[in-house]
Amino acid sequence: MNDKIIGILGGMGPEATAEYYMKIIRATQAEKDQDHYRVIIDSNAKIPDRTAAISGRGKNPVPQMIDAAKNLEKVDVDVACIPCMTAHYFIDEVQKAVSFPLMNAFEELKKYIESHYPEVRKVGVLATTGTLQTGLFKKHLGHLDVIEPQPVTQNEKVMEAIYGSNGIKSGNTDAEPLTLLKSAAEELLDQGAEVIVSGCTEIGLVLKPYHLPVPLLDPMEVVAHAVVKESVYQKS
């Protein structure tokens, strides 16, 4: 029986949080309901926007992230994840406030690439401007050549697909965001990217592996399998 408790510090955004929970379910080997993990989700959509905070235009999200993490601590979660890549900019501050481990999706992605794609040298990244500005991908994937979209592409395609009036955060996961993201990915491929990283949880709701001629890596998929594996290893 999988008796560990997994926490999700969510709400950034809500649909990405729900999808991450589904990833944990699919990553778990189970024959009946009772074989699944107990999962505690704090989906606080009121946490201030991470991209705005990083760029100095918005409120610091850390206090509310810590509040959510402490809620998870109160119910004795054994391990937790944050299904928002941009929010990982603040993960160290949140980790200091709680006793359970927060798994880092960037570190898990690094391990996954080293294990499954050791020959890859160039990685294309689609992510929010806030995440790119943090340099987290280049920090954690420093052994690789990390390729990012040109500024115009980043603003007019990637950010428009995520934050635009018909974007993913507005609930649109249909043709328009997909067209923009595919076009941005193709530019990265033209620059030599051997794999594409879906570096924002919303992107993974729209852009799928079958849309591209190279592997599309979803860090949330990677960390979902990692947290299940970690919970199995921790099992008493």
Side-chain angles (χ1 to χ4, degrees):
M1 182 181 295
N2 297 327
D3 56 359
K4 294 299 179 180
I5 303 176
I6 296 173
I8 300 178
L9 202 169
M12 305 172 280
E15 190 169 357
T17 299
E19 176 61 22
Y20 179 68
Y21 178 38
M22 291 301 300
K23 292 179 189 300
I24 290 177
I25 292 172
R26 292 191 290 262
T28 303
Q29 293 185 0
E31 297 180 357
K32 58 184 184 297
D33 290 349
Q34 291 74 23
D35 291 336
H36 285 276
Y37 291 93
R38 183 179 181 187
V39 177
I40 308 296
I41 304 171
D42 189 324
S43 183
N44 182 6
K46 304 304 182 185
I47 294 174
D49 186 86
R50 285 63 59 197
T51 295
I54 291 168
S55 64
R57 297 180 291 103
K59 188 177 178 181
N60 182 6
V62 171
Q64 291 194 47
M65 290 177 67
I66 289 177
D67 285 345
K70 285 188 173 296
N71 286 339
L72 298 178
E73 189 171 45
K74 290 175 185 176
V75 291
D76 296 325
V77 301
D78 294 286
V79 63
C81 312
I82 304 175
C84 172
M85 298 302 290
T86 311
H88 277 67
Y89 180 75
F90 309 100
I91 194 171
D92 290 340
E93 293 179 76
V94 180
Q95 180 66 82
K96 291 175 184 177
V98 292
S99 58
F100 61 85
L102 281 165
M103 296 198 75
N104 189 312
F106 288 91
E107 279 300 304
E108 297 305 324
L109 176 65
K110 176 184 178 181
K111 295 175 189 175
Y112 185 85
I113 292 175
E114 289 175 341
S115 173
H116 291 76
Y117 300 98
E119 75 287 352
V120 163
R121 294 293 176 267
K122 293 186 177 182
V123 175
V125 175
L126 296 175
T128 66
T129 299
T131 301
L132 297 182
Q133 287 176 343
T134 66
L136 288 172
F137 277 103
K138 291 184 177 179
K139 173 184 176 182
H140 291 281
L141 302 179
H143 62 301
L144 301 172
D145 182 4
V146 177
I147 305 172
E148 301 173 354
Q150 296 297 318
V152 172
T153 298
Q154 179 66 23
N155 292 330
E156 297 182 0
K157 296 182 180 179
V158 180
M159 293 298 282
E160 183 65 22
I162 299 170
Y163 285 99
S165 57
N166 291 317
I168 302 166
K169 283 188 176 291
S170 298
N172 180 15
T173 55
D174 297 323
E176 185 174 340
L178 175 59
T179 298
L180 292 171
L181 291 171
K182 284 178 66 177
S183 178
E186 288 166 2
E187 291 186 28
L188 297 178
L189 295 176
D190 289 342
Q191 296 178 61
E194 299 164 273
V195 300
I196 300 293
V197 173
S198 177
C200 170
T201 43
E202 273 75 22
I203 290 174
L205 299 173
V206 174
L207 191 65
K208 305 297 182 182
Y210 56 80
H211 289 133
L212 299 177
V214 301
L216 176 66
L217 306 184
D218 181 351
M220 288 298 109
E221 188 79 38
V222 171
V223 80
H225 281 81
V227 74
V228 167
K229 184 178 180 181
E230 175 79 5
S231 297
V232 169
Y233 287 163
Q234 285 183 355
K235 186 174 171 183
S236 58

